[in-house]
Amino acid sequence: MAAVGLEPAPSAALDSGVVSKSCCHGTGPGYASPIEAMSGPREKLIYVTCVYNGTSIEKPDYLATIDVDPSSPTYSKVIHRLPVTNIGDELHHSGWNACSSCHGDSAVSRRYLVLPSLLSGHIYVIDTQANPREPSLHKVVDHAEILQKTGLAYPHTSHCLASGDIMVSCLGDGEGNAEGNGFLLLDSEFNVKGRWEKPGHSPLFGYDFWYQPRHKTMISSSWGAPAAFTKGFDLQHVTDGLYGRHLNVYSWPGGELKQTMDLGNTGLLPLEIRFLHDPAKDTGYVGCALTSNMVRFFKHSDGSWAHEVAISVQPLKVRNWILPEMPGLITDFLISLDDRFLYFVNWLHGDVRQYNIEDPSKPVLTGQLWVGGLIQKGSDVVAVGEEGQDIQFDVPKVQGKQLRGGPQMIQLSLDGKRLYVTNSLFSTWDRQFYPEIVEKGSHMLQIDVDTEKGGLAINPDFFVDFGLEPEGPSLAHEMRYPGGDCTSDIWV
């Protein structure tokens, strides 16, 4: 993936259609409001990106279709696998061509799942409507075209826009430098339009983003330079400034970088970012992985944005690990559609947490469940308590199988009662911290959620072991329902 000396194309913000078009007539994809979405039909299928890149298996990554209908004879089974066309892609995050931001446009449908490849730079477009149980490849947007027209590489997060365009955050240039990162625009036919942000308004680092049109704002987070994170995690790279600690506040839809919030040493590696689902709200959260803090951001009366630590996961003193202290490593989180509960995972510690956020500034822990991690009983790694006692956590077996790795990606049912969990982060980091899931494959769980008083419990009837895949063990990452979910739908 060479840079070939190309200059980024001019910004496409002014002609992207986000100003001139609107979805304000008819009935289109998704739901009119987050609360309406909670009454939608129960999920029956879930799509999961599965990775062979970084393993010993020389096969293309694939999209797995999982049956999640308890009344089905194939419940908790992989019922279809769609391989992509290249080897070494690293399918990672995904998004839809249209979501609830286009609910008012009857000419639009949530048909195509957009799969950016983090390493190769290709973007695969998957048709899920012709046969939802057996999706098919519709189009490939080649990385060379993206690079030639925009200078962007390492595509990560995809969101649909109310205009019909698709926006994808890209984490660097063709050489893996963070300075080349920015936001790619595809039109409704998945043609490359250009960059969304105005020239000279690229962030320091890229990763996730979320827009809140009623506040004319988009905020993005910052992982790090691809040249650093693709080689595995090295603490020296943090010291060298190759990882982010900022939130980038943009005008929406204008693409002007209005403010950069430095989260400081309490906000290292801010990854997933979510506004509250209510589009009138002017607050949200970002999970800061390395410092394991959930940071809340909010708007002042003068229009500027501020931040504060809302939840802090304390590092554990440990023996027999690479460092004397182990961070929780918050790698994913989400918010229920009614904005009552926030869920996040600690990939290294191994727990899933549920917080009541009815007061967004004062989250209250209401549920915690250990489903893996480096400190589970039987591990060589031991946590040391305040009084010097050894601590290891009980991790239950599911269907007789010991859980490998730690909880990583999560997805919540529309009604908020079921939380799905996979455990692969990124193949290079998986091999570094959890080599057993690279060798034996990852897995997928379903956790039952108490939406009244709070609480989490493993569903013993659901378990998908990706170590048993026909082509060999694979790494399961992000999940999407055909009907939309808590992390891909944005309301306007």
Side-chain angles (χ1 to χ4, degrees):
M1 194 187 300
V4 299
L6 295 169
E7 292 296 322
S11 170
L14 294 179
D15 63 356
S16 66
V18 289
V19 177
S20 59
K21 294 183 182 179
S22 64
C23 298
C24 56
H25 56 85
T27 302
Y31 300 89
S33 70
I35 299 303
E36 181 182 300
M38 294 190 74
S39 300
R42 176 175 174 144
E43 70 282 0
K44 294 186 176 182
L45 300 173
I46 194 167
Y47 301 124
V48 184
T49 54
C50 295
V51 172
Y52 279 130
N53 182 61
T55 73
S56 61
I57 299 171
E58 291 292 316
K59 295 283 186 179
D61 300 343
Y62 63 99
L63 183 70
T65 305
I66 313 293
D67 187 335
V68 293
D69 181 358
S71 66
S72 170
T74 54
Y75 175 61
S76 186
K77 303 293 185 186
V78 181
I79 60 174
H80 186 260
R81 300 165 184 87
L82 175 66
V84 292
T85 56
N86 296 278
I87 293 176
D89 283 316
E90 190 89 25
L91 294 182
H92 201 61
H93 284 204
S94 59
W96 291 101
N97 69 303
C99 66
S100 292
S101 64
C102 269
H103 178 66
D105 190 344
S106 59
V108 177
S109 65
R110 194 198 309 261
R111 176 169 187 164
Y112 298 106
L113 188 60
V114 180
L115 302 181
S117 303
L118 182 58
L119 295 185
S120 72
H122 301 305
I123 298 177
Y124 296 94
V125 182
I126 310 300
D127 186 348
T128 68
Q129 193 174 84
N131 186 345
R133 295 175 69 87
E134 300 182 5
S136 58
L137 181 61
H138 172 71
K139 183 176 181 177
V140 181
V141 186
D142 191 85
H143 80 95
E145 180 187 4
I146 297 171
L147 192 63
Q148 190 271 330
K149 292 183 176 179
T150 67
L152 294 170
Y154 301 92
H156 188 271
T157 298
S158 170
H159 276 302
C160 59
L161 309 187
S163 64
D165 289 341
I166 298 102
M167 190 160 125
V168 183
S169 62
C170 295
L171 309 193
D173 62 14
E175 297 291 346
N177 301 306
E179 290 81 0
N181 81 92
F183 302 93
L184 168 69
L185 276 180
L186 304 176
D187 67 18
S188 60
E189 300 297 323
F190 311 104
N191 300 308
V192 176
K193 293 187 69 170
R195 296 175 73 132
W196 171 75
E197 78 278 11
K198 289 185 178 296
H201 287 251
S202 296
L204 296 173
F205 296 94
Y207 189 71
D208 196 16
F209 68 97
W210 196 280
Y211 59 90
Q212 200 79 324
R214 296 190 193 180
H215 295 279
K216 300 179 180 179
T217 296
M218 187 274 278
I219 301 182
S220 68
S221 61
S222 45
W223 183 8
F229 68 69
T230 56
K231 295 177 174 62
F233 180 73
D234 185 340
L235 197 59
Q236 183 61 43
H237 287 160
V238 179
T239 303
D240 293 343
L242 296 177
Y243 283 94
R245 62 183 216 182
H246 299 86
L247 296 183
N248 310 293
V249 182
Y250 281 87
S251 64
W252 185 265
E256 296 177 338
L257 182 58
K258 294 289 191 180
Q259 183 183 348
T260 299
M261 287 188 279
D262 187 344
L263 305 182
N265 291 330
T266 62
L268 299 178
L269 277 67
L271 298 182
E272 309 302 325
I273 188 167
R274 317 272 186 248
F275 271 95
L276 295 181
H277 292 288
D278 182 345
K281 300 295 185 182
D282 59 358
T283 191
Y285 301 87
V286 63
C288 301
L290 187 57
T291 41
S292 299
N293 289 324
M294 190 63 59
V295 172
R296 184 176 78 97
F297 53 87
F298 51 95
K299 190 168 71 170
H300 284 311
S301 58
D302 64 0
S304 64
W305 293 79
H307 61 89
E308 64 181 8
V309 174
I311 303 167
S312 184
V313 177
Q314 296 303 309
L316 296 174
K317 293 181 179 179
V318 293
R319 297 198 309 269
N320 306 325
W321 197 56
I322 58 175
L323 297 172
E325 289 192 339
M326 180 189 294
L329 211 76
I330 298 174
T331 52
D332 194 21
F333 86 98
L334 55 76
I335 298 170
S336 62
L337 288 172
D338 56 5
D339 292 332
R340 288 186 62 223
F341 291 107
L342 180 148
Y343 301 84
F344 70 77
V345 298
N346 288 303
W347 190 54
L348 296 182
H349 287 180
D351 56 320
V352 180
R353 297 192 184 192
Q354 176 197 49
Y355 285 82
N356 183 298
I357 56 166
E358 290 176 284
D359 181 346
S361 66
K362 296 178 181 178
V364 177
L365 181 65
T366 51
Q368 185 175 23
L369 185 65
W370 298 92
V371 294
L374 289 170
I375 318 174
Q376 59 181 293
K377 286 187 176 178
S379 168
D380 292 335
V381 182
V382 178
V384 181
E386 292 182 359
E387 298 180 0
Q389 74 275 26
D390 289 354
I391 299 172
Q392 288 188 317
F393 301 109
D394 284 315
V395 175
K397 291 183 178 180
V398 180
Q399 298 183 3
K401 296 188 177 183
Q402 188 67 44
L403 300 183
R404 301 182 291 270
Q408 207 286 293
M409 293 301 293
I410 52 177
Q411 190 55 264
L412 189 66
S413 60
L414 293 178
D415 61 10
K417 296 181 179 180
R418 291 166 301 283
L419 189 72
Y420 295 90
V421 185
T422 57
N423 60 347
S424 168
L425 172 60
F426 173 59
S427 62
T428 305
W429 291 31
D430 291 346
R431 182 171 292 281
Q432 183 177 0
F433 293 102
Y434 288 113
E436 68 271 20
I437 69 170
V438 178
E439 302 300 325
K440 298 179 181 180
S442 63
H443 52 63
M444 179 176 172
L445 306 172
Q446 190 236 292
I447 294 172
D448 293 327
V449 176
D450 185 334
T451 58
E452 297 298 325
K453 298 181 180 180
L456 305 171
I458 290 177
N459 176 0
D461 297 323
F462 187 96
F463 184 75
V464 182
D465 188 348
F466 290 94
L468 303 177
E469 287 293 87
E471 299 286 356
S474 65
L475 302 171
H477 192 62
E478 195 179 52
M479 300 158 280
R480 293 283 180 225
Y481 310 122
D485 49 61
C486 295
T487 56
S488 65
D489 274 299
I490 296 177
W491 279 266
V492 297

